[in-house]
Amino acid sequence: MDINTEKIVSDVSVVPQTLYHLVPADLYDTFIDKNGNYDCRNRVKWGKNSPFIHTTTDIKTLKEKIIGNFVKYIPGVDFLLLEIKMNDIVAKITYSDQNGTRYYHLWTFLPKGSYTTHIIKRRSDGGFVL
């Protein structure tokens, strides 16, 4: 992803009130600070070393366009789906449109309490149970 093609959100009212972010459970704990804030930005192991947190707007998009990219991630490792409440986020927000889908990017950490986690189990073939 080329961060130079990011478009800045100038009116936050157009951003859905709930966004979603997927992370392997084994990495989630390494991205939590001592205060319980989540931050996977600028990490080589997750998020493509980008300066923002990748999100999607709905579960349908997650199922159809995102989750299949992670089938080969370490077998047996479950994932966590972070359900982000945008009314608790104050940050620069950008987006990119890819193949008819808009993806929002949060240029901040996620404060403790701004999101809830949901376990996403995996099948023995690496697929996801959603």
Side-chain angles (χ1 to χ4, degrees):
M1 165 164 300
D2 180 7
I3 64 171
N4 296 318
T5 62
E6 291 288 306
K7 297 170 189 84
I8 296 175
V9 173
S10 57
D11 179 5
V12 294
S13 71
V14 302
V15 178
Q17 287 302 298
T18 303
L19 294 176
Y20 300 92
H21 172 76
L22 194 65
V23 61
D26 65 329
L27 293 179
Y28 174 80
D29 289 335
T30 66
F31 299 154
I32 298 291
D33 69 17
K34 64 181 174 145
N35 297 315
N37 303 313
Y38 173 83
D39 194 356
C40 67
R41 296 172 299 156
N42 302 307
R43 306 292 180 110
V44 174
K45 285 188 175 187
W46 196 246
K48 301 177 183 175
N49 203 32
S50 61
F52 49 75
I53 296 175
H54 296 263
T55 71
T56 188
T57 59
D58 56 68
I59 300 298
K60 181 179 185 229
T61 300
L62 182 75
K63 285 180 181 180
E64 294 176 359
K65 298 185 178 187
I66 305 294
I67 212 158
N69 296 326
F70 306 116
V71 170
K72 294 186 179 184
Y73 189 82
I74 304 167
V77 173
D78 291 332
F79 276 59
L80 294 176
L81 178 64
L82 279 57
E83 183 177 351
I84 305 161
K85 298 300 179 195
M86 290 305 295
N87 57 338
D88 294 329
I89 304 295
V90 177
K92 173 182 170 183
I93 302 171
T94 59
Y95 66 91
S96 64
D97 292 318
Q98 299 173 19
N99 301 318
T101 301
R102 179 159 290 176
Y103 298 98
Y104 289 97
H105 303 129
L106 308 178
W107 293 68
T108 187
F109 63 90
L110 299 180
K112 179 180 179 180
S114 68
Y115 64 92
T116 55
T117 58
H118 307 277
I119 297 171
I120 307 296
K121 296 285 186 183
R122 294 176 69 197
R123 299 186 306 265
S124 60
D125 66 358
F128 293 82
V129 181
L130 276 174

